[in-house]
Amino acid sequence: MYCLLKCAPLILAVAVCHGWLFGDFVGKQKELNEISLWPLPQKFQSSAVAFKLSPASFQIVHAKQSSAGPSCSILENAFRRYFEYVFGDLKKHEKSRKKVYDSDLVELQVWITSADPECNGYPSLQTDESYELSVDESSAVLKAANAWGALRGLETFSQLVYEDDYGANNINKTEISDFPRFAHRGILLDSSRHFLPLKVILANLEAMAMNKFNVFHWHIVDDQSFPYMSGTFPDLSQKGAYHPFTHVYTPSDVKMVIEFARMRGIRVIPEFDTPGHTRSWGNGIKDLLTPCYSGCSPSGTFGPVNPILNSSYDFMTEFFKEISTVFPDAYIHLGGDEVDFSCWKSNPDIQKFMVQQGFGTDYSKLESFYIQRLLDIVAATKKGYMVWQEVFDNGVKLKADTQIHVWKERPQYQDEMAKVTAAGFNALLSTPWYLNRISYGQDWVNVYKADPQNFTGTDAQKKLVIGGEACLWGEYVDATNLTPRLWPRASAVAERLWSDKSVTDVGNAYNRLAQHRCRMVKRGIPAEPLFVGHCRQEYMGL
Amino acid sequence: IVKTRGCDGYPDEDSDESYNLSVSEGQAVLRSVTVWGALRGLESFSQLVYQDDYGSYFINKTEIVDFPRFAFRGLLLDTSRHYLPLHAILKTLDAMAYSKFNVFHWHIVDDPSFPYQSRTFPDLSNKGAFHPFTHVYTQSDVMRVIEHARMRGIRVVPEFDSPGHTLSWGKGQPNLLTPCYKGDVPSGSFGPVDPTVDTTYKFMESLLKEVKFVFPDSYVHLGGDEVSFACWQSNPNVRTFMEKMGFGKDFTKLESFYMESIMNMTAALNRTSIVWQDVFDYRERIPQDTVLEIWKGETYQAELSRMTQAGHRVLLSAPWYINHISYGQDWRNSYAVQPQNFSGTEEQKKLVIGGEVAMWGEYVDATNLNPRLWPRACAAAERLWSDEEKTLDADLAFPRLEKFRCELLRRGIQAEPLFVGHCKHEYDGL
């Protein structure tokens, strides 16, 4: 065991097993120098033996035995990014080789062990993100099956480096063996209620990588605006965006987001939510939405997608053909939430259809009728789909690999998780993680305490929980307040989804998270404070 | 056209901020009594200018007669719970001017840290700041804030809160705070300022002398809130003092004793004190011209009645603690506040001289200050300036505030959205 003290007992020498730190709630100056990992790795051991790192002599390199090399742009990119995180502004350091001390760590070797490092592919739900990190005399070794695991390990490595009282970079002798508890760890951003400039999306992908999030759920369009520029149906954004030029995502914008995410091991899953939440779609596609009636004549307003017209399904076929080629992930989120039936009820053609189909007055049957056909359309594009829980609750026939997204507060999410998994479907939890719902005080604690497997069920059921997502709905959020509202509260979700379920000590979490937050600030992310205190380097932007 | 001289002076509680603005063919005329009124008029003028679809600038023929309903329209920032870099404070002053706020209440020190670099007592910040160099306000920083504010017609009223909220003071000024006791021995922790020893009063007098020298405004906020008596109670010397003074077991009398001394010192220095309502609630002898500030939320109307009945001028802050965030359009709560809606005579109502929006710093620093302040603080700004009868309907205010928020964005203030929608130019930072 490495829980030994190699040096004489110093106040600063902390025997750390399994990553537990000792410290009081407020976190004294001394602890700013100690290890501040977030999320906490599965297995972590370190000793008090410290090595120095110098920007002039330290390098991150491909191990000789690695299946990845200089052609792996994901790793090349990451090496530079993490070097900058550790040492700060590169331009400040000369490249001269200075004297190397005996206790210098000169390199981190990155060793990809699988034959295929996956450098040119995209991450998926099945991706192995595990890694092993060993920091010892003169060189450190990061072993991972593929580039994705290496990315996770590089982030952890960067979190192990700390500055001593003289400002020198140090890292302790460490052994880490790590892997995520859940494979789907996501953040939802809403770019319809408010347009989100590219800069803010990219900065948050950067912050996600610092927290080992691996899914960006892009709720890209909704009632209020349609910023997605479609090649097949340009009128959608022409007529549906807040502004057809300044408030849209061009095809190259979308490509940029996808590639920026890929470089960080983050999947991009777009959500095109139907049949509800589609008001902005109607501006650009005639007859797509149901005309609502006031008595015998149209009232002038529109409701959900019109499920009785073939043109609706023809449109969806063409549209999702495009989506399936633009977005490389194996999954698309199809929405299916909060369908308001009043407009359908008012429309005489729909009333006739209901009678024809034998649906009676049960409009959820009509909703299911639509969703069923939509799912078949999407399945034909060879994509899997995620849907909000209503689709499951309404008894729609779903493919076996459908992922059900639990978000409602009633019924209790624990009961819903049990129901979904009992029916044999993968479940994703978001209910306790609606971070758009702000409140005064340290609300990260309740976020941290929620556990996706906290429901009554068999082990087989629990295995069907693939993870969860922190959601930042956009009614009150745009670029001016998104980043501080999301971070570090989303970090609490990050640890719940990555670390072992036994990692629940709030006091310990506070200490680590406060330091992790200062680290995000240092790296240019305006993560807001948890509580009273300070960071060595306060946020310099405005 | 400005009637009286005064460009080189500071705004004060009697400054006349009224102005007339007349825009017609070929020329516009802005008339005011003082330069401060001219500043207010310039702001209004800038809000009248708009662009059409071609980008041409327009202003409509307009007549405005304007003056503030309340003379004291303040905003509190807390630079002790979190250090706020200078640029964050200066930016806040800019945004305050856009909303016609005219008092910056600088809650500069408190329990967690003492960032004010004192010329008389350098150890206060050397030992009490989060960091003696990177997390302090030097004398020149302070002068910069005061001048930046003056240029915008904003008064800077500092708060040196005592006897409670002073933990950080004890780091650099040993023997200032009361040592708490566990039985017969000191426990190692400290409580409020020690009101039983002469050294305390000598120190406070020197500090207040310096504050008078550094801060030109004629008002000083002395705090006086939330004094916990447990530590005083535990200390045998304090208990002895209590007996000697005939206070018995009533520690509110001890606090009154302390606050009275401080308020008298302040008066002797020719400064008017502002204190939190706690000082009045303990029924102390307060100089009649002391201003009382209400911060406790539950029954502030009753407090308004009581205080004005006793003849004191009052500031209202309780319903405007906008550090208390909640989900949704909570600006409407600020907007609905009616500062003179309490039982009292017309004379009493006149004693309400204004109010303050408070942004306490427990959960706030430079990463989230601006979106949390703006545009929510604007609701109180209108309540404090405008005629209440004309501005009771929040639904009517909404489109104006929405547009104003986009204007704030255009002027570089990171104001968050009120609800769904967009601005021509979105915020392009982080």
Side-chain angles (χ1 to χ4, degrees):
Chain A
M1 294 305 285
Y2 291 91
C3 292
L4 303 166
L5 302 172
K6 270 197 169 182
C7 308
L10 306 163
I11 297 172
L12 275 177
V14 179
V16 181
C17 299
H18 304 303
W20 293 111
L21 294 171
F22 305 96
D24 63 31
F25 203 80
V26 179
K28 299 198 258 293
Q29 179 66 35
K30 162 162 55 165
E31 269 140 31
L32 287 174
N33 287 341
E34 287 174 352
I35 292 152
S36 57
L37 300 173
W38 193 281
L40 198 67
Q42 301 291 340
K43 282 200 183 63
F44 161 67
Q45 294 148 354
S46 95
S47 83
V49 178
F51 310 112
K52 287 201 175 27
L53 299 93
S54 153
S57 57
F58 177 78
Q59 294 186 89
I60 308 179
V61 298
H62 299 279
K64 274 201 257 331
Q65 321 91 310
S66 176
S67 63
S71 66
C72 182
S73 57
I74 289 182
L75 289 181
E76 288 301 314
N77 222 285
F79 290 178
R80 179 179 63 181
R81 185 165 69 251
Y82 281 100
F83 189 94
E84 277 177 13
Y85 282 163
V86 169
F87 294 111
D89 198 350
L90 265 180
K91 296 188 211 78
K92 282 196 250 155
H93 304 294
E94 319 159 29
K95 266 327 203 166
S96 66
R97 298 204 69 82
K98 296 238 174 85
K99 172 175 177 191
V100 173
Y101 292 93
D102 280 346
S103 61
D104 249 23
L105 186 74
V106 289
E107 66 180 15
L108 170 66
Q109 290 187 22
V110 177
W111 180 357
I112 308 301
T113 55
S114 300
D116 173 16
E118 298 184 43
C119 291
N120 298 322
Y122 287 89
S124 76
L125 186 65
Q126 288 74 29
T127 296
D128 177 1
E129 294 173 280
S130 66
Y131 66 90
E132 277 165 23
L133 181 57
S134 172
V135 179
D136 206 338
E137 208 87 52
S138 97
S139 92
V141 179
L142 167 58
K143 248 204 235 179
N146 51 52
W148 317 116
L151 287 176
R152 307 298 169 233
L154 281 167
E155 175 58 42
T156 304
F157 176 81
S158 75
Q159 296 187 3
L160 290 170
V161 181
Y162 60 93
E163 263 179 47
D164 64 17
D165 283 339
Y166 299 92
N169 289 303
N170 282 254
I171 186 169
N172 284 17
K173 185 165 151 68
T174 311
E175 290 292 319
I176 291 181
S177 166
D178 201 9
F179 58 87
R181 178 180 169 203
F182 293 105
H184 184 120
R185 306 178 305 281
I187 296 276
L188 178 153
L189 292 184
D190 169 1
S191 59
S192 172
R193 275 59 181 262
H194 285 97
F195 179 74
L196 299 177
L198 218 55
K199 178 193 254 189
V200 108
I201 297 181
L202 299 182
N204 278 276
L205 286 170
E206 196 94 87
M208 283 168 65
M210 295 175 197
N211 288 270
K212 295 189 173 70
F213 275 105
N214 66 354
V215 175
F216 170 35
H217 174 166
W218 195 351
H219 188 90
I220 186 168
V221 299
D222 203 298
D223 278 329
Q224 286 84 357
S225 76
F226 197 105
Y228 171 74
M229 229 188 210
S230 160
T232 329
F233 301 99
D235 269 356
L236 278 168
S237 62
Q238 265 298 106
K239 306 231 168 80
Y242 281 133
H243 187 288
F245 299 139
T246 59
H247 288 63
V248 291
Y249 301 108
T250 63
S252 77
D253 289 339
V254 174
K255 278 204 182 77
M256 186 182 290
V257 169
I258 294 172
E259 183 62 4
F260 195 89
R262 188 182 81 90
M263 284 287 129
R264 288 152 184 76
I266 297 171
R267 301 165 55 197
V268 178
I269 302 183
E271 177 181 349
F272 289 92
D273 190 351
T274 69
H277 286 280
T278 44
R279 206 172 52 231
S280 66
W281 302 46
N283 296 358
I285 306 289
K286 200 160 103 64
D287 300 331
L288 178 67
L289 304 182
T290 311
C292 312
Y293 273 65
S294 209
C296 300
S297 46
S299 68
T301 56
F302 295 87
V305 169
N306 194 334
I308 70 173
L309 297 178
N310 281 335
S311 52
S312 300
Y313 301 103
D314 291 338
F315 164 77
M316 290 299 167
T317 306
E318 289 308 303
F319 184 72
F320 279 98
K321 210 187 280 175
E322 171 185 319
I323 299 307
S324 68
T325 52
V326 169
F327 292 91
D329 196 82
Y331 279 80
I332 305 181
H333 200 302
L334 300 178
D337 62 315
E338 297 183 310
V339 185
D340 181 3
F341 295 151
S342 51
C343 185
W344 282 349
K345 281 191 184 137
S346 74
N347 184 302
D349 297 322
I350 295 203
Q351 287 159 14
K352 265 193 223 104
F353 186 83
M354 289 286 287
V355 172
Q356 270 167 21
Q357 297 286 320
F359 291 158
T361 50
D362 187 355
Y363 281 82
S364 68
K365 289 205 169 88
L366 180 59
E367 183 189 348
S368 302
F369 173 83
Y370 165 84
I371 295 274
Q372 202 63 76
R373 289 186 68 174
L374 176 70
L375 296 185
D376 291 341
I377 288 171
V378 175
T381 67
K382 304 280 191 290
K383 296 284 193 195
Y385 39 75
M386 287 164 62
V387 288
W388 296 109
Q389 66 180 79
E390 283 97 322
V391 176
F392 167 80
D393 293 342
N394 289 345
V396 176
K397 218 170 58 204
L398 301 166
K399 267 201 302 159
D401 69 342
T402 308
Q403 296 169 351
I404 312 295
H405 202 158
V406 177
W407 69 275
K408 296 178 97 143
E409 290 178 344
R410 267 172 271 280
Q412 294 270 7
Y413 72 82
Q414 291 90 337
D415 296 335
E416 184 73 8
M417 295 294 280
K419 257 179 67 197
V420 168
T421 52
F425 291 106
N426 280 125
L428 274 170
L429 182 63
S430 272
T431 313
W433 294 330
Y434 263 39
L435 300 184
N436 54 307
R437 293 201 161 264
I438 55 172
S439 56
Y440 180 69
Q442 291 196 50
D443 59 1
W444 70 273
V445 175
N446 283 335
V447 168
Y448 189 70
K449 287 188 175 154
D451 190 307
Q453 285 173 331
N454 182 12
F455 62 89
T456 331
T458 64
D459 280 344
Q461 275 177 265
K462 306 269 169 118
K463 277 211 188 69
L464 289 172
V465 178
I466 52 172
E469 293 186 359
C471 299
L472 195 67
W473 294 103
E475 284 83 352
Y476 304 98
V477 173
D478 76 358
T480 58
N481 62 357
L482 190 151
T483 312
R485 189 160 295 192
L486 192 56
W487 311 100
R489 288 152 80 233
S491 302
V493 179
E495 181 153 293
R496 182 54 49 234
L497 291 174
W498 178 282
S499 305
D500 189 88
K501 69 173 186 273
S502 62
V503 177
T504 52
D505 183 325
V506 170
N508 173 276
Y510 175 87
N511 285 342
R512 281 183 297 113
L513 188 52
Q515 293 178 63
H516 180 62
R517 178 251 166 184
C518 285
R519 182 168 46 227
M520 285 197 276
V521 168
K522 187 165 155 217
R523 295 180 183 184
I525 304 294
E528 62 176 16
L530 286 180
F531 193 51
V532 174
H534 75 291
C535 296
R536 279 239 196 94
Q537 269 167 264
E538 301 292 358
Y539 182 62
M540 284 325 286
L542 245 192
Chain B
I1 303 177
V2 178
K3 211 160 83 168
T4 59
R5 295 171 155 271
C7 281
D8 301 329
Y10 287 89
D12 65 32
E13 70 267 29
D14 295 320
S15 295
D16 185 334
E17 293 173 284
S18 66
Y19 66 92
N20 290 0
L21 181 55
S22 177
V23 180
S24 57
E25 191 104 44
Q27 68 158 5
V29 182
L30 168 60
R31 247 180 263 267
S32 68
V33 177
T34 65
V35 292
W36 319 117
L39 288 177
R40 306 300 168 234
L42 282 168
E43 175 57 44
S44 294
F45 178 81
S46 75
Q47 294 186 16
L48 291 171
V49 179
Y50 61 95
Q51 282 180 278
D52 70 2
D53 286 338
Y54 298 91
S56 309
Y57 291 94
F58 286 87
I59 185 168
N60 287 9
K61 183 163 152 66
T62 311
E63 291 293 323
I64 293 183
V65 173
D66 202 8
F67 58 88
R69 174 182 173 197
F70 293 106
F72 195 116
R73 306 177 303 282
L75 190 145
L76 178 154
L77 285 186
D78 169 359
T79 56
S80 173
R81 274 57 180 262
H82 284 98
Y83 178 77
L84 292 177
L86 204 61
H87 61 81
I89 298 179
L90 300 180
K91 200 70 165 188
T92 302
L93 291 168
D94 289 345
M96 282 171 67
Y98 302 151
S99 291
K100 298 191 172 70
F101 277 107
N102 68 351
V103 178
F104 169 39
H105 174 166
W106 194 350
H107 189 90
I108 187 167
V109 297
D110 201 299
D111 280 329
S113 76
F114 196 105
Y116 171 72
Q117 207 176 58
S118 159
R119 51 206 306 158
T120 327
F121 302 102
D123 265 358
L124 283 172
S125 62
N126 274 343
K127 305 242 167 74
F130 281 135
H131 187 287
F133 298 136
T134 59
H135 289 63
V136 292
Y137 302 108
T138 61
Q139 290 288 310
S140 79
D141 288 340
V142 174
M143 292 203 296
R144 199 152 156 219
V145 168
I146 293 173
E147 184 63 5
H148 194 93
R150 187 179 80 89
M151 286 289 121
R152 287 151 184 75
I154 297 171
R155 301 163 53 191
V156 178
V157 173
E159 177 180 350
F160 286 87
D161 190 352
S162 71
H165 287 282
T166 44
L167 272 181
S168 64
W169 302 39
K171 303 230 169 82
Q173 188 70 16
N175 306 322
L176 177 68
L177 304 182
T178 313
C180 311
Y181 273 65
K182 219 181 186 157
D184 295 328
V185 275
S187 70
S189 57
F190 295 88
V193 165
D194 190 339
T196 68
V197 287
D198 269 345
T199 48
T200 292
Y201 299 99
K202 280 209 182 63
F203 164 80
M204 286 305 293
E205 186 152 33
S206 300
L207 183 65
L208 285 172
K209 270 209 183 92
E210 175 180 322
V211 170
K212 173 191 162 107
F213 179 77
V214 173
F215 293 89
D217 198 87
S218 58
Y219 284 55
V220 154
H221 202 304
L222 302 175
D225 62 315
E226 298 184 307
V227 184
S228 156
F229 295 151
C231 189
W232 281 348
Q233 221 157 13
S234 73
N235 183 305
N237 300 322
V238 175
R239 289 200 298 269
T240 312
F241 184 82
M242 292 279 287
E243 273 183 45
K244 200 177 80 182
M245 301 296 291
F247 294 155
K249 294 263 187 340
D250 187 356
F251 285 86
T252 67
K253 293 207 166 85
L254 182 59
E255 188 195 342
S256 303
F257 171 78
Y258 171 84
M259 283 310 291
E260 276 168 45
S261 304
I262 306 303
M263 285 191 282
N264 289 340
M265 264 182 225
T266 307
L269 286 169
N270 216 359
R271 289 277 186 263
T272 310
S273 328
I274 310 179
V275 291
W276 296 109
Q277 67 180 83
D278 312 50
V279 177
F280 172 79
D281 293 343
Y282 292 150
R283 259 158 253 119
E284 293 148 38
R285 281 175 308 204
I286 316 170
Q288 198 55 33
D289 69 340
T290 303
V291 177
L292 305 172
E293 186 160 10
I294 300 180
W295 67 272
K296 292 187 178 171
E298 314 83 36
T299 50
Y300 70 83
Q301 283 96 340
E303 192 74 0
L304 278 164
S305 298
R306 273 198 296 270
M307 288 177 170
T308 51
Q309 189 159 57
H312 285 286
R313 288 175 299 162
V314 184
L315 283 170
L316 183 60
S317 197
W320 287 322
Y321 266 37
I322 61 176
N323 55 307
H324 280 272
I325 54 171
S326 56
Y327 180 67
Q329 291 195 43
D330 60 2
W331 70 273
R332 290 169 183 261
N333 298 338
S334 290
Y335 200 70
V337 173
Q338 296 178 282
Q340 287 169 325
N341 186 6
F342 60 93
S343 45
T345 65
E346 276 313 300
E347 288 308 305
Q348 275 177 261
K349 310 247 167 141
K350 284 211 187 78
L351 288 174
V352 179
I353 59 172
E356 289 194 323
V357 159
M359 184 49 78
W360 294 104
E362 282 84 353
Y363 305 100
V364 173
D365 76 358
T367 58
N368 60 358
L369 175 71
N370 289 311
R372 194 159 292 197
L373 260 183
W374 313 103
R376 288 157 74 237
C378 301
E382 181 153 294
R383 182 53 58 239
L384 288 168
W385 178 282
S386 306
D387 183 297
E388 192 171 286
E389 252 168 88
K390 298 202 191 109
T391 54
L392 278 176
D393 190 342
D395 287 335
L396 281 182
F398 179 81
R400 268 191 306 119
L401 188 53
E402 217 188 357
K403 258 181 72 193
F404 186 61
R405 180 253 166 182
C406 288
E407 177 62 17
L408 286 175
L409 265 193
R410 201 186 62 87
R411 296 185 187 192
I413 304 297
Q414 199 175 330
E416 62 176 16
L418 288 179
F419 194 48
V420 298
H422 73 290
C423 295
K424 267 226 189 95
H425 299 282
E426 301 291 359
Y427 178 64
D428 70 352
L430 260 196

